[in-house]
Amino acid sequence: MEEKVKYACDASSAATEGYGSRMLENDDVVLDWRDYFDHHSLPLSRRNPSRWPHHPPDYRQVVAEYSDQMALLASKLLGLISESLGLPTSCIEDSVGEFYQNITISFYPPCPQPDLTLGLQAHSDMGAVTLLIQDDVGGLQVLKDGEWVMVQPVTDAIVVILADQTEIITNGAYRSAEHRAITNGSRARLSVATFHDPAKSKRISPASGLASGSSPPRYRDVVYGDYVSSWYTKGPKGKRNLDGLLL
Ligand SMILES: O=C(O)CCC(=O)C(=O)O
Ligand SMILES: [Fe+2]
């Protein structure tokens, strides 16, 4: 507990770095059965490993290397998605701009009454693409055709979760995934989510190559920082924040 308090994030504002247990600031929310540690990892100007845990001794070095490798993979994936839509390879990444990357380690303790609560409520991720690794316990679920489907843990696999800004940029050709984490009564679970987001000042809109002529834009433009503020004010409730931009 003492170690956790040493790295506690600022509880009065959203998405600050460090150790915490609640996603939203307001008091009248359903709490998740989760503790987390958030690292601000990219761009390098935001990376300050002195704020990260100091034990084990190589922890900060490993997280820094992991951050760099995940950014390369995110860039590669956005390139492949662009190409799959007949766009220039760099199209989606150019629309996102420089990656703002956060690495969130989530810890879900065993829950005595798992039917009564969620580890993490249903949401879609706000940014462009999330890369997630999980241990062998399982608990991540994705909404598919109206049903919650378990994302079975696969050793050494990285789960790719498309997020809201990629849905906007691709004008809905790729949908962001609605997901949640459930708890269980016997085993603690760990996951590591690496989020790749635009800068708060970046204006996001459907790519011109996908939203013109016979296929008009399906989403309103949004400044990413405004999207994030409204998400934290209202709470996720599945994909309602993105649906609010539909034209
Ligand atoms: O723990 C998980 O599997 C999900 C984590 C997640 O969705 C998130 O942090 O946004
Ligand atoms: Fe998520």
Side-chain angles (χ1 to χ4, degrees), residues 159-180:
V159 181
V160 178
I161 302 177
L162 287 191
D164 293 343
Q165 307 313 304
T166 299
E167 178 167 332
I168 298 174
I169 294 165
T170 63
N171 204 24
Y174 281 82
R175 308 286 316 282
S176 64
E178 187 168 339
H179 56 285
R180 67 181 190 181

Side-chain angles (χ1 to χ4, degrees), residues 34 104 106 108 120 123 125 132 140 179 181 189 191 193 195:
R34 174 182 84 134
T104 302
S106 295
Y108 305 92
L120 187 57
H123 66 284
D125 294 341
L132 181 135
L140 175 63
H179 56 285
R189 171 171 181 261
S191 73
F195 303 95

